[in-house]
Amino acid sequence: MTDKLKIAQEGELEAKIREIFSNLDRLEPGEELYSSIKKAIILKKRIMVSEFVAMGSGFVVVLSLVFYSTKTVFEKISQSGTIQFFSLLFSDFKDVLANWKSFSLYILESLPTSEILLSLTGLFILFLLSGIIINFRENNKFLLN
Amino acid sequence: MLEQIKTKGFIKWGLVVLAGLILIVGSFSLGVFVGFKKAGFSYSWGENYEHNFGGPRNGFFLFRRMPEGVGGDDFINANGTVGSILKINNNSVVIKGNDNVEKVINIGANTVIRRQRDTIKIADLKINDLIVVIGNPNNSGQIDAKFVRVFEK
């Protein structure tokens, strides 16, 4: 009951405030202040656009690095004969199972770990940058548009 | 402190941290194990090069020949190989692997050699046949084959 009364009273207060302000002339800032505010907004907008462009460029650079490292991973895997080894899983599954330790060790030995690590790190940075860019754009829509 | 430990969040994050540590340490141990095997085989391969292939490791007439794995990796895979046959002996074959390194593959009584669906013998292998070998390294820098698959070119 008390809550309903409170809400009703707040509604009345809001209506009264609206009525008061509807009768007042719109307040305009002084010319100097207006000019300073305008300059600050333009500067802020420029800084944000530069930041956005920098993030976008970083994204493109990381994307190309990820593409290059992933390409290197596939090249190394095809050169190392790992694909032929994997094909044994389909052609000679029982024999692979009988020698699963050696099979697994060969696969682990022939993995290009540095390139895979580079690729995964690049992907991680890409995801991070994507999140930052989306967040940045969401928070600054009114300035970037 | 006791109240903090009792909360679900503490237990959850504790489990996450522990799982992460196990994963990291486990991966590291596996890497050390695989690397040790690979390095050990590469060492045996180098030490027994003359015995296995004849001629000095660095080649004749100052032509330097260093084992170069795929992409400049200096270690040789120890538990198998893919390559084409260079030479066939009574109980072994010499192949040139995809990493441009010669390897001796010992074919034992229990080694299974397959071409398409047939099980064949060492005498049925031919020079330049492309083979995939699964096996174990020995102390002489050779691979004792358990299974050999011959690919048709």
Side-chain angles (χ1 to χ4, degrees):
Chain A
M1 185 66 181
T2 328
D3 288 335
K4 278 187 186 174
L5 192 63
K6 256 189 189 173
I7 292 165
Q9 279 176 346
E10 275 173 16
E12 265 179 45
L13 186 62
E14 196 184 322
K16 279 186 183 169
I17 289 169
R18 280 186 194 279
E19 201 187 318
I20 290 166
F21 276 96
S22 68
N23 295 330
L24 288 174
D25 289 332
R26 206 171 141 203
L27 294 168
E28 291 289 334
E31 212 174 292
E32 230 175 84
L33 180 63
Y34 185 77
S35 160
S36 305
I37 292 169
K38 211 172 162 182
K39 278 182 191 168
I41 290 172
I42 290 169
L43 183 66
K44 178 90 176 157
K45 194 172 180 178
R46 276 190 194 154
I47 291 169
M48 281 194 166
V49 167
S50 313
E51 283 176 1
F52 191 72
V53 166
M55 278 192 272
S57 312
F59 187 89
V60 169
V61 167
V62 174
L63 184 67
S64 52
L65 281 173
V66 166
F67 177 74
Y68 173 74
S69 60
T70 311
K71 187 173 152 244
T72 313
V73 166
F74 283 114
E75 274 172 9
K76 286 209 169 174
I77 287 175
S78 66
Q79 277 171 22
S80 68
T82 312
I83 294 173
Q84 283 98 334
F85 239 77
F86 265 114
S87 71
L88 292 181
L89 280 170
F90 301 102
S91 58
D92 304 288
F93 183 70
K94 282 184 185 168
D95 297 293
V96 167
L97 212 60
N99 301 291
W100 68 271
K101 269 187 193 169
S102 301
F103 184 85
S104 314
L105 278 170
Y106 179 84
I107 299 295
L108 284 171
E109 282 168 353
S110 57
L111 279 178
T113 44
S114 331
E115 285 76 12
I116 290 173
L117 191 64
L118 196 67
S119 217
L120 288 173
T121 308
L123 271 169
F124 178 78
I125 295 171
L126 261 183
F127 271 102
L128 205 63
L129 269 175
S130 307
I132 291 171
I133 289 171
I134 290 168
N135 223 25
F136 183 85
R137 216 185 135 70
E138 280 299 312
N139 292 342
N140 300 294
K141 253 189 217 174
F142 68 99
L143 271 176
L144 287 170
N145 288 336
Chain B
M1 179 74 179
L2 202 62
E3 289 302 317
Q4 274 178 329
I5 290 167
K6 279 183 186 172
T7 59
K8 276 187 186 173
F10 185 87
I11 292 169
K12 180 181 138 193
W13 283 110
L15 282 171
V16 166
V17 166
L18 280 171
L21 280 172
I22 289 166
L23 199 67
I24 289 167
V25 174
S27 306
F28 182 74
S29 304
L30 186 65
V32 167
F33 175 71
V34 170
F36 184 75
K37 282 212 119 188
K38 215 168 159 179
F41 180 70
S42 300
Y43 171 77
S44 309
W45 182 90
E47 287 301 300
N48 292 281
Y49 188 88
E50 240 177 275
H51 175 259
N52 287 333
F53 304 108
R57 185 165 27 136
N58 293 340
F60 294 104
F61 305 117
L62 303 174
F63 287 118
R64 299 193 66 83
R65 229 205 119 267
M66 300 296 285
E68 195 183 301
V70 174
D73 179 9
D74 289 331
F75 297 116
I76 308 165
N77 292 344
N79 286 85
T81 190
V82 179
S84 49
I85 298 177
L86 292 175
K87 187 181 173 188
I88 302 169
N89 301 318
N90 286 336
N91 295 316
S92 65
V93 293
V94 177
I95 71 162
K96 181 183 165 189
N98 274 12
D99 45 6
N100 286 326
V101 170
E102 304 94 0
K103 289 170 200 163
V104 173
I105 312 296
N106 294 324
I107 309 290
N110 296 327
T111 306
V112 176
I113 309 176
R114 290 242 166 81
R115 185 196 291 275
Q116 292 182 340
R117 291 177 187 227
D118 307 317
T119 305
I120 60 175
K121 293 179 186 168
I122 188 170
D124 299 321
L125 293 171
K126 293 170 205 153
I127 305 285
N128 291 328
D129 270 347
L130 178 68
I131 62 170
V132 172
V133 178
I134 303 176
N136 298 321
N138 63 23
N139 294 331
S140 307
Q142 302 164 343
I143 297 176
D144 297 326
K146 300 287 177 200
F147 177 78
V148 178
R149 157 61 66 183
V150 183
F151 281 94
E152 297 300 326
K153 283 194 176 176

